Amino acid sequence: MAEKPPLPPKPKPPLPPKPRPPSSKAPSAAAATTRPTPAHATNGTARPAPPPPFKKPQLAPPPQVLPLKPPPARQYQPPHPGGGGGARKHPRYRPPQRHRRGSPCSCRRLCCFATGVALLALCLALAAACLAYLYYRPRPPSFHLHPLSPVRLRLPNSSASAVSAMDATVGVRAVSWNPNERVAFVYGGGEGRVALADADGDVALGWAPVAPFEHAPRTVAAVAFVAAAKGVVVDEAVAARVRDRYRRRQQGFKVVVDTHVGVRVGKMRTGMVPVRLLCDGGVMAPRGGEGGGPMTKCQVYLFRVRWFSLN
């Protein structure tokens, strides 16, 4: 039996081509599609071409968003005041003008400046007053009331009614001593009043004007007037007490003088201020001794306020 001839050897499949490293410049898609097929692929089974390398798509920049502009303000145009038909032309609107005020900073500076000037003037005035007081050493004058003379009280001995009418004449004389060496006092005109002192209340007898006078330094001045009254009505009990005290020369009186006083230093003179002279506890002069007897000290009040007494 004849031997079978050997089979021809099977052709070895071709090795796949080695991948080429990607170049810096990637070929375009059209060049990759038109790349020629290698020669070893024509023999035998045809192999598909390798896929092109992945290319990251480039993102487009985001669109720029422009800010929205507000619509233009519409100006208000008031209607034309004139009447009649036809087209009217409206005037352009003009906002009301505001008056410009001064800045608060300038007002504050002005107030601070005025306050500073006032404080400085006050300090200078106080300093001048202190220096004047230390130099002149002013002291208030003192007043004393002499025993009242003449005193005439006319009362009926008996009355059928419950009241009595009294006539009175009282002479008043007060002396003043000025202890200052450079300060003089100037007194203006005023009035003096006299009243009977009684337990049930003072009984006013009348008033009289007081003449002005000047009290020189280191001198004695006198204030004198005579008060008269007629038909002063008092009840019978008061009339009986007054009649008894008058006979024994023990009737008490109250004297008040209201006037004005100023100060004179050399040729400089101050203004006049109200002053009151109060003499409480005046007594009658003894019989036969006109103006004799002890004197009563009086109180002097400026502005007619008791707590501001000079004595």
Side-chain angles (χ1 to χ4, degrees):
M1 185 173 178
E3 296 180 4
K4 293 181 181 183
L7 298 175
K10 295 180 180 182
K12 296 180 180 182
L15 296 175
K18 295 182 179 181
R20 298 176 61 184
S23 60
S24 59
K25 295 181 179 180
S28 60
T33 53
T34 56
R35 180 181 295 177
T37 305
H40 61 81
T42 56
N43 300 331
T45 308
R47 292 177 64 99
F54 178 75
K55 183 179 180 181
K56 186 176 181 181
Q58 295 182 359
L59 300 177
Q64 296 181 0
V65 180
L66 299 179
L68 298 177
K69 293 184 179 181
R74 190 173 183 181
Q75 295 182 355
Y76 171 74
Q77 295 182 357
H80 190 69
R88 299 179 182 178
K89 295 182 179 180
H90 302 288
R92 299 186 65 181
Y93 172 74
R94 295 181 180 179
Q97 297 181 357
R98 297 181 180 180
H99 299 283
R100 295 184 178 179
R101 299 180 180 179
S103 62
C105 184
S106 60
C107 296
R108 193 180 299 110
R109 289 180 181 177
L110 183 59
C111 293
C112 293
F113 178 75
T115 305
V117 171
L119 292 177
L120 180 60
L122 180 60
C123 293
L124 292 178
L126 291 177
C130 293
L131 293 177
Y133 178 81
L134 294 176
Y135 178 75
Y136 292 104
R137 296 283 183 174
R139 288 179 291 174
S142 61
F143 286 84
H144 292 80
L145 179 66
H146 278 274
L148 304 181
S149 178
V151 177
R152 299 185 182 91
L153 300 178
R154 296 179 182 179
L155 288 166
N157 293 332
S158 62
S159 177
S161 61
V163 295
S164 300
M166 178 179 56
D167 297 340
T169 302
V170 181
V172 179
R173 185 173 184 270
V175 294
S176 174
W177 164 250
N178 184 4
N180 299 283
E181 297 182 357
R182 302 182 182 88
V183 179
F185 297 96
V186 180
Y187 295 90
E191 65 177 17
R193 297 187 300 273
V194 181
L196 285 173
D198 189 78
D200 292 342
D202 299 338
V203 179
L205 298 181
W207 68 277
V210 176
F213 66 96
E214 183 174 349
H215 199 179
R218 307 293 296 181
T219 58
V220 178
V223 180
F225 63 94
V226 177
K230 291 183 178 182
V232 179
V233 179
V234 293
D235 58 5
E236 188 59 29
V238 174
R241 288 194 298 267
V242 171
R243 188 183 302 111
D244 181 63
R245 288 193 294 260
Y246 177 67
R247 290 175 180 175
R248 293 183 297 172
R249 311 295 291 182
Q250 294 179 356
Q251 177 62 49
F253 293 87
K254 181 178 180 181
V255 178
V256 178
V257 179
D258 289 331
T259 181
H260 293 77
V261 64
V263 179
R264 183 177 60 82
V265 180
K267 295 183 179 180
M268 184 178 63
R269 180 175 174 178
T270 64
M272 308 287 283
V273 296
V275 63
R276 169 169 289 183
L277 176 66
L278 177 60
C279 304
D280 196 1
V283 297
M284 299 173 59
R287 295 182 184 275
E290 297 294 333
M295 294 188 298
T296 305
K297 188 177 182 180
C298 302
Q299 300 292 331
V300 182
Y301 303 104
L302 283 178
F303 301 100
R304 300 180 183 179
V305 180
R306 291 190 175 186
W307 57 266
F308 203 88
S309 175
L310 290 177
N311 292 354

